[in-house]
Amino acid sequence: MEAVSPALGAALRPSAGHDAWRDRSTVLSGASMANSGAKRALITGITGQDGSYLMDLLLEKGYEVHGIVRHSSSFNRSRIEHAYANPKLFEKQLFLHYGDMLDGVALTRLVERVAPHEVYNLAAQSHVQVSFALPEYTTQVDAVGGLRLLEALRETGVSARYYQASTSELYGKVQAVPQNEKTPFYPRSPYAVAKLYAYWLAINYREAYGMYTVNGILFNHESPRRGENFVTRKITLGAAKIKLGLLDTLLLGNLDAKRDWGYAPEYVEGMWRSLQQAAPSDYVLATGETHTVREFATLAFDTLGIKLEWRGEGANESGYDSATGERRLGIDPVFHRPTEVDLLLGDPTFAKQQLGWIPRTKFQELCRMMALADFELLGKESRTKRAF
């Protein structure tokens, strides 16, 4: 048996109490992995929305899944807790390793030891507005992090298929509507610029070294697991708080921004499909519909029984509860980006033709799902607090 050193990564094993965790080196058996017949996948960003759904999908398909997690003084594993708290999965089919996109040496050693068949690079500082405040960090993780991982594969000689999580933010100041794989890019944020580097690097390694690399240009995809600082989740949480009497007014930025919103679990299926093809390519995953932030907010509040009536224009626009007249949603300029992206609308024709991928969840269904999930979540938390 060969143990991965703590420097490379340790898995976290649940014990009796909810917060009682201890670090433990993951033990990997080269013989068992080689003879198991199961595909091995390595996921960076496994604790995020997409990483957790991809983990679920791959475990269901019988993969041996290895996820990279960053060391932190506090645990952020809620999205994958259902899997690593399962003794039938943890350290049998699911393995977690400490690592960081800033540490190329650790990534190289981990790639060499795990020897994955597929690598999904989902780790990123993915909040667009935060990238303006942290441009250097965003670049190191999102751009150079991809370089470190590709170099790890090249240097070790591990013949893995590589998926690079790209983004519709590459289109930025859009040059055509809708956007497809051939549409010119015009990034409008440090995040998008960093992702553009990773995008072209994946293509360069494909062409220069014959590596199987794929870029997934995914338009906005949401779910109840979406991070709380993203606008869709901020809206559904805000609506739930207002409904429960925990908040008076929700403040947002650009209500006129238009986005192509889909359902995250369907998009990770597209990621997987993209690595199962005979030859690598790049794919746009989108619904082909676009809606404003205002539309999303209106529907989320309506789902919870609050009909918004919009009054005012521009920065003075607000949403009022039509039943009570109370101001429930307003605009705060602090949430505006230095350079806005006004319209994103994807054309997924190529992915539909080549991958057989079809987005099934409609905008209205997605919005209602998220609003109801947050209402239930906050309701449970509120009842728990009252119980104590």
Side-chain angles (χ1 to χ4, degrees):
M1 300 290 286
E2 184 179 15
V4 177
S5 69
L8 292 177
L12 304 173
R13 179 193 294 275
S15 58
H18 178 74
D19 295 318
W21 301 88
R22 61 187 176 88
D23 292 352
R24 183 179 184 274
S25 295
T26 303
V27 178
L28 305 178
S29 169
S32 66
M33 286 194 300
N35 297 324
S36 68
K39 279 188 176 181
R40 290 183 302 281
L42 178 64
I43 304 174
T44 72
I46 194 171
T47 59
Q49 171 189 255
D50 291 3
S52 65
Y53 282 125
L54 180 61
M55 174 200 71
D56 290 340
L57 177 70
L58 296 181
L59 288 174
E60 183 180 334
K61 290 183 177 295
Y63 277 66
E64 180 177 292
V65 177
H66 295 260
I68 298 178
V69 296
R70 286 184 298 164
H71 184 271
S72 173
S73 58
S74 60
F75 290 103
N76 180 24
R77 313 281 191 267
S78 60
R79 295 184 182 97
I80 63 171
E81 185 174 7
H82 60 283
Y84 73 73
N86 184 343
K88 294 181 180 179
L89 294 176
F90 191 66
E91 293 189 350
K92 294 180 177 66
Q93 193 181 348
L94 171 65
F95 302 85
L96 301 180
H97 311 266
Y98 281 132
D100 200 301
M101 299 306 291
L102 302 179
D103 190 340
V105 173
L107 290 175
T108 299
R109 290 176 180 168
L110 187 53
V111 164
E112 187 172 34
R113 288 176 181 270
V114 173
H117 299 97
E118 297 172 4
V119 174
Y120 297 85
N121 184 24
L122 311 185
Q125 189 301 100
S126 56
H127 196 280
V128 175
Q129 186 152 3
V130 170
S131 75
F132 286 98
L134 300 174
E136 183 177 347
Y137 175 76
T138 300
T139 300
Q140 284 294 325
V141 173
D142 298 8
V144 186
L147 169 64
R148 294 183 182 105
L149 195 50
L150 283 167
E151 274 296 286
L153 289 168
R154 190 178 72 86
E155 289 291 333
T156 59
V158 172
S159 182
R161 296 188 172 194
Y162 175 86
Y163 176 87
Q164 171 61 43
S166 200
T167 170
S168 59
E169 289 287 332
L170 297 181
Y171 298 113
K173 189 175 181 180
V174 298
Q175 304 299 292
V177 179
Q179 298 89 49
N180 60 28
E181 292 82 3
K182 303 298 182 183
T183 304
F185 299 128
Y186 196 138
R188 299 268 281 173
S189 66
Y191 164 72
V193 172
K195 281 290 192 176
L196 185 58
Y197 176 91
Y199 169 91
W200 281 114
L201 199 69
I203 293 176
N204 180 252
Y205 273 58
R206 181 197 307 165
E207 297 175 349
Y209 304 115
M211 296 172 64
Y212 191 112
T213 63
V214 167
N215 284 296
I217 307 174
L218 273 57
F219 280 66
N220 296 66
H221 44 289
E222 319 297 318
S223 76
R225 296 185 191 178
R226 189 56 145 157
E228 296 180 10
N229 58 346
F230 288 84
V231 67
T232 50
R233 189 77 195 287
K234 183 177 179 181
I235 289 170
T236 56
L237 276 170
K241 288 178 180 178
I242 289 172
K243 182 66 177 179
L244 291 167
L246 304 175
L247 180 69
D248 292 326
T249 305
L250 173 65
L251 297 178
L252 298 174
N254 183 7
L255 297 177
D256 293 314
K258 294 182 177 181
R259 293 293 183 269
D260 185 326
W261 280 300
Y263 185 40
E266 297 170 0
Y267 284 58
V268 301
E269 181 190 349
M271 296 178 189
W272 174 78
R273 286 175 179 251
S274 73
L275 291 192
Q276 312 312 310
Q277 306 307 302
S281 189
D282 305 312
Y283 303 93
V284 163
L285 300 186
T287 69
E289 294 183 11
T290 190
H291 299 272
T292 65
V293 172
R294 186 187 294 99
E295 287 180 76
F296 193 97
T298 300
L299 183 54
F301 275 78
D302 183 71
T303 299
L304 300 183
I306 303 173
K307 294 189 179 298
L308 291 178
E309 178 182 294
W310 296 96
R311 305 175 194 168
E313 296 181 357
N316 296 317
E317 184 176 12
S318 292
Y320 294 83
D321 186 332
S322 63
T324 66
E326 294 176 284
R327 181 173 178 260
R328 291 309 192 187
L329 197 149
I331 294 175
D332 189 335
V334 74
F335 296 120
H336 285 279
R337 302 176 186 176
T339 45
E340 287 284 353
V341 174
D342 297 320
L343 167 64
L344 293 174
L345 174 60
D347 175 6
T349 300
F350 184 65
K352 289 180 178 179
Q353 293 174 343
Q354 300 298 313
L355 307 179
W357 180 82
I358 299 175
R360 298 176 296 276
T361 303
K362 299 299 183 182
F363 170 77
Q364 293 79 5
E365 181 184 352
L366 172 64
C367 185
R368 292 191 179 102
M369 174 202 309
M370 293 178 64
L372 292 173
D374 278 329
F375 182 71
E376 182 180 358
L377 173 67
L378 292 178
K380 286 181 179 179
E381 292 179 354
S382 181
R383 290 191 294 272
T384 299
K385 289 179 181 178
R386 287 198 299 269
F388 287 94

